[in-house]
Amino acid sequence: MIKRILILFAIFYLLALLQTSFFIHFKIWGIVPNFILISVLLINVLEKPKKNTGIVAGFIGGFFLDIFSSNFIGFYALILLALSFLIKIIFRKYVWAPTG
Amino acid sequence: MKFTTVKSKILFVAILIGFILSLNFFQKGTKGFFYNLSAPIQTTFWQLGERVSGFFGTIGNLNNLKKINDESQKTIQELLAEKASFAELKKENEILREALQIGLQKDFRLALVRVIGKDIGQESILINQGAGDGLSAGMPVVTQQKILVGRISEVFKSFSRVTLISSKESTFDAKVLASPGEAGGSDTDTTGVARGQGNSKIKFDLVPQDKTLKVGDLVVSSSLGGIYPGGLLAGTVIEVSRNDVSPFYQAEIKPLFDIQNSSAVFVILNFTK
């Protein structure tokens, strides 16, 4: 798990740098997509409901959004953490997916 | 990492939340550490982004190039004509100032800074100089053409965060200069309050009903509130919404700065509130 956390840390750090310095130049219909939010959502939706990587990803992704924004540290981290928990609860309780 | 009981899960999350919120006590240190670490990569990404978007922007605009060129030529002609009349006025102004013994307006002392990143929420930018370089909170930031960008809201040791004029946190006094010669132009300056709306939009509010605003009017900062020096270009009026019941009306302003395509801006060092 430690290895997974470190990988997520590196990926989201790089994504935050790309988001604030590179993707900012490319607007799609006037908006710049938030790739960290999209990644967190995808990890949570695509991984097995029993696993916790999505929750850790939500927290780390949110942390880096906080670092590179003018908000206080914890603003996005807590929002994405809560969002990840919500997705996990919904998937664990109400969504059935065939196990391959 | 396996959490066997509900209690341990709750405890872990509580510790995590406590830890992340406690970082706010060392916010400057924490953010400053990451900014220091990331500055070289961010600068590279910013320049790369500028180049790539410029390349694709050119390809996308190939069909419009002739139209844009024609419009630019027309604007240049108009500006040249204006410049000629300004030269006359400048000379007259100097003579009158000399006669009245008023000193010429001092120029701003500027510091050139590089933009290295933009906030996810799009309302602030990060520049590569901070308290160590003599910058402090409240200093206005302009582009090379003296177009207002915003003001420094947060200073780190080697970096500063600039809140853009289109940010929801930004409010300043502004005015539309009088244009008595033009059709529909006002005889006196039209003052109001410019409030950032987010998403690169500004609302020009508290405009008295007896004043006339029209689409295309240039809005400049006013020194009235003391937040910005007077006479800095802020934006152009793109929509006017009047309501006869209210004593004031509003207009929507499009900011003139283009942060996406400017890697350097200037901080006005000698402006004191």
Side-chain angles (χ1 to χ4, degrees):
Chain A
M1 189 68 181
I2 297 289
K3 193 180 162 192
R4 204 177 293 171
I5 290 174
L6 287 176
I7 292 170
L8 284 173
F9 209 80
I11 289 173
F12 280 109
Y13 177 50
L14 189 69
L15 259 183
L17 293 182
L18 282 169
Q19 177 82 48
T20 51
S21 301
F22 185 76
F23 294 134
I24 214 84
H25 294 93
F26 307 93
K27 284 189 172 178
I28 303 169
W29 294 298
I31 54 160
V32 181
N34 189 335
F35 289 99
I36 291 184
L37 177 67
I38 294 169
S39 310
V40 168
L41 289 177
L42 281 178
I43 292 172
N44 274 293
V45 170
L46 296 179
E47 77 164 344
K48 283 179 184 170
K50 289 276 175 198
K51 294 206 168 179
N52 292 318
T53 312
I55 293 168
V56 180
F59 183 74
I60 296 174
F63 172 73
F64 280 115
L65 280 181
D66 287 328
I67 289 292
F68 292 100
S69 76
S70 50
N71 294 308
F72 66 91
I73 300 174
F75 179 80
Y76 283 113
L78 297 185
I79 289 176
L80 291 194
L81 187 68
L83 190 73
S84 305
F85 268 118
L86 192 73
I87 294 172
K88 285 288 164 206
I89 290 168
I90 292 170
F91 270 72
R92 280 174 194 171
K93 287 196 173 178
Y94 304 107
V95 179
W96 175 85
T99 49
Chain B
M1 205 186 301
K2 288 201 172 169
F3 303 106
T4 44
T5 61
V6 177
K7 261 188 190 175
S8 66
K9 278 183 192 175
I10 293 171
L11 187 70
F12 177 72
V13 172
I15 291 171
L16 211 61
I17 292 171
F19 169 71
I20 202 92
L21 290 178
S22 70
L23 284 178
N24 282 294
F25 292 112
F26 327 99
Q27 202 189 64
K28 282 200 172 173
T30 314
K31 286 190 174 181
F33 168 75
F34 279 101
Y35 294 160
N36 266 324
L37 194 72
S38 325
I41 313 169
Q42 277 192 296
T43 312
T44 313
F45 279 161
W46 187 274
Q47 286 165 352
L48 194 69
E50 246 180 356
R51 261 184 254 158
V52 176
S53 75
F55 175 72
F56 284 111
T58 313
I59 291 176
N61 276 327
L62 272 180
N63 293 334
N64 294 329
L65 275 182
K66 195 183 175 314
K67 198 180 157 196
I68 294 167
N69 189 32
D70 288 346
E71 279 172 12
S72 303
Q73 289 295 339
K74 199 181 150 198
T75 315
I76 289 170
Q77 294 298 328
E78 283 170 5
L79 290 174
L80 281 175
E82 266 184 40
K83 193 186 165 192
S85 66
F86 280 142
E88 287 283 310
L89 286 172
K90 193 184 170 194
K91 209 172 165 185
E92 193 182 314
N93 189 23
E94 276 169 14
I95 293 165
L96 287 171
R97 276 180 184 275
E98 213 175 293
L100 292 167
Q101 292 183 329
I102 305 171
L104 283 173
Q105 195 185 1
K106 278 183 188 169
D107 266 344
F108 298 128
R109 204 156 55 84
L110 302 170
L112 177 70
V113 292
R114 290 199 79 82
V115 181
I116 58 168
K118 199 176 177 194
D119 183 12
I120 310 281
Q122 310 272 303
E123 304 308 339
S124 66
I125 54 169
L126 196 66
I127 54 174
N128 71 340
Q129 285 188 20
D133 306 288
L135 304 193
S136 60
M139 284 179 172
V141 178
V142 294
T143 64
Q144 198 179 1
Q145 297 82 18
K146 286 192 181 170
I147 294 169
L148 194 55
V149 173
R151 66 200 289 249
I152 295 177
S153 55
E154 207 178 352
V155 187
F156 303 93
K157 199 180 167 216
S158 317
F159 302 92
S160 304
R161 190 166 284 286
V162 177
T163 301
L164 302 181
I165 52 169
S166 56
S167 159
K168 282 181 182 171
E169 292 161 28
S170 161
T171 305
F172 61 97
D173 286 283
K175 62 186 176 188
V176 171
L177 295 174
S179 51
E182 287 179 34
S186 180
D187 288 339
T188 53
D189 293 349
T190 306
T191 54
V193 176
R195 288 199 180 105
Q197 301 291 297
N199 244 338
S200 298
K201 282 180 190 164
I202 304 172
K203 190 189 263 184
F204 191 43
D205 206 353
L206 298 178
V207 184
Q209 287 283 7
D210 60 326
K211 299 283 184 184
T212 316
L213 280 185
K214 56 183 192 309
V215 173
D217 275 347
L218 282 177
V219 180
V220 297
S221 64
S222 155
S223 53
L224 204 66
I227 298 172
Y228 295 114
L232 296 173
L233 275 175
T236 49
V237 175
I238 52 167
E239 197 184 330
V240 181
S241 49
R242 271 183 184 270
N243 181 357
D244 290 340
V245 184
S246 164
F248 301 104
Y249 70 99
Q250 295 94 27
E252 198 177 301
I253 307 171
K254 186 173 178 269
L256 281 171
F257 65 80
D258 182 13
I259 280 302
Q260 259 77 12
N261 295 317
S262 51
S263 51
V265 287
F266 292 91
V267 178
I268 301 177
L269 299 169
N270 58 340
F271 176 73
T272 43
K273 202 177 170 183

